[in-house]
Amino acid sequence: MVTRRATIVGLGALAAQLVLPSAEATQAPSYRLGEWTGDGFAPMHAIRDGLWRTPLAAPERRVDVVVIGGGIAGLTVAALLRDRDLIVLERESEPGGVAKSGRWRNVDYALGSAYVVDLSQPFMALYETLGLAPRPVSEPVDRALSGAAGAGDPRDGEWRGAYERLQALLRRLGESPDFPKIPIGEATASALALDKLSLQEFLRREHIDAELFGLLDAYCLSALGAPTAEISAYAGVNFLSEINAPIYAFPGGNAAIARTLAARLSRAGESRIVTSAAVYAIEPAEGGYARVGWFDARHPESPAVSRRAGRWSPRPTFSPAAFCAGSILRRRRK
């Protein structure tokens, strides 16, 4: 099983040296590549560009809770509150966020979030409640590739000492009561001090060799969206601690968690998950409510364009086959 760790280690090496494809690599493959998958940014660009600066339509539904975003976090919140009148608004065509999977020859494979490392509470309790059993991944394949013909893993050569010092640092922090825990509310004062440093500043202070920063930058960019100089040492140390941790996985990666949560939520009531719903406004409303406006992410045009195209209704409901906007009221607790 090729883990995300293996992939990112390879990417880190590519940051230092450009690898040119060989003649064999440029030949047409014997298989057909599918379409690219991932987030669709057109709805968010439409909001950014001001196409949806429009008054919210009349409320179509009142609910106790609106969960915006149907990734694992949003689905977990909704599943825990499934006895309430709630709705989940997910921008993409299916819930799961980065935890999605595909299937090839009856084998499920991860398209994004692929494995877990933390089986402590409350995570393990959630897996058990969902009837999921994380499986240990035996002998994960970790390779750093420089691109040079016949070159070995630099962590076994010129990077060996630096990488071992990084592992020792993370091991020491992992065994300390001052480890930067998630949730952050359980952190000690010493751990919270890490939040005032960037990860790169912290690693330099701990005398971790700069030759590893290209590798670590790529690894952090893959999951946290920023290099070591731009993320908190608190978040970065917590993230990098998995270098020393066993890896566990579900068939198809973490999409198994998302699918199980979505199924549990759907069994609790119909129409609880609305996909292709891009939220563009949240406004206070009368009676202690908040009003949430959204549009069909498949048609991110402005209301004026949508009206001309025959897809706009000034009082939208869930019943039309095609719609572009909706608004929901969520009661706020006093």
Side-chain angles (χ1 to χ4, degrees):
M1 176 179 177
V2 178
T3 66
R4 184 184 69 172
R5 184 188 301 176
T7 302
I8 301 306
V9 166
L11 288 175
L14 291 178
Q17 178 172 348
L18 177 65
V19 180
L20 298 177
S22 63
E24 293 81 1
T26 60
Q27 295 177 357
S30 58
Y31 51 86
R32 183 182 176 210
L33 294 174
E35 295 182 358
W36 287 101
T37 60
D39 292 344
F41 299 110
M44 300 300 100
H45 289 170
I47 295 172
R48 177 199 65 188
D49 296 340
L51 299 182
W52 283 90
R53 290 175 185 165
T54 178
L56 291 178
E60 65 183 44
R61 179 176 172 184
R62 291 174 183 255
V63 295
D64 293 330
V65 179
V66 176
V67 178
I68 300 174
I72 287 183
L75 291 172
T76 300
V77 169
L80 293 173
L81 298 175
R82 63 187 179 280
D83 293 335
R84 304 287 296 275
D85 181 14
L86 63 80
I87 191 169
V88 177
L89 300 178
E90 166 56 39
R91 184 188 65 194
E92 299 302 317
S93 60
E94 61 178 305
V98 298
K100 291 187 174 68
S101 66
R103 192 169 180 83
W104 181 76
R105 294 185 179 179
N106 296 321
V107 175
D108 293 314
Y109 60 91
L111 286 171
S113 179
Y115 60 88
V116 297
V117 295
D118 196 343
L119 298 186
S120 63
Q121 301 300 344
F123 305 107
M124 194 62 199
L126 173 64
Y127 304 147
E128 291 173 347
T129 299
L130 297 176
L132 297 173
R135 304 176 184 177
V137 177
S138 60
E139 300 181 4
V141 179
D142 284 4
R143 298 291 293 170
L145 305 177
S146 67
D153 188 333
R155 294 174 303 167
D156 296 330
E158 61 268 30
W159 291 359
R160 182 171 182 175
Y163 195 72
E164 288 179 347
R165 285 190 291 276
L166 174 63
Q167 287 180 304
L169 170 64
L170 295 172
R171 189 177 302 111
R172 175 171 57 81
L173 290 171
E175 296 170 352
S176 167
D178 295 326
F179 178 75
K181 300 177 181 178
I182 302 294
I184 198 170
E186 301 176 0
T188 65
S190 295
L192 288 174
L194 292 174
D195 206 36
K196 299 178 181 179
L197 298 173
S198 73
L199 177 58
Q200 188 175 112
E201 288 172 333
F202 172 74
L203 294 176
R204 289 186 183 279
R205 190 185 75 181
E206 297 295 324
H207 307 293
I208 298 301
D209 291 8
E211 62 186 347
L212 293 181
F213 288 171
L215 167 67
L216 298 177
D217 281 344
Y219 197 20
C220 292
L221 278 163
S222 74
L224 302 180
T228 56
E230 297 178 16
I231 63 173
S232 157
Y234 190 105
V237 169
N238 180 280
F239 173 61
L240 292 179
S241 64
E242 69 176 46
I243 288 176
N244 292 324
I247 290 177
Y248 301 85
F250 306 95
N254 293 347
I257 305 174
R259 285 195 301 267
T260 307
L261 287 167
R264 174 171 288 227
L265 186 58
S266 297
R267 287 195 298 270
E270 296 182 358
S271 303
R272 293 205 152 194
I273 302 176
V274 178
T275 56
S276 300
V279 173
Y280 70 94
I282 303 174
E283 298 178 352
E286 64 283 352
Y289 282 82
R291 190 161 55 173
V292 179
W294 57 276
F295 61 87
D296 188 335
R298 295 168 297 183
H299 306 295
E301 307 93 339
S302 68
V305 173
S306 299
R307 191 181 300 113
R308 289 197 298 271
R311 291 194 293 265
W312 170 259
S313 169
R315 292 181 62 86
T317 66
F318 286 112
S319 56
F323 50 84
C324 276
S327 61
I328 297 168
L329 291 180
R330 166 182 132 3
R331 183 184 294 276
R332 289 191 302 220
R333 287 182 173 272
K334 294 183 179 180

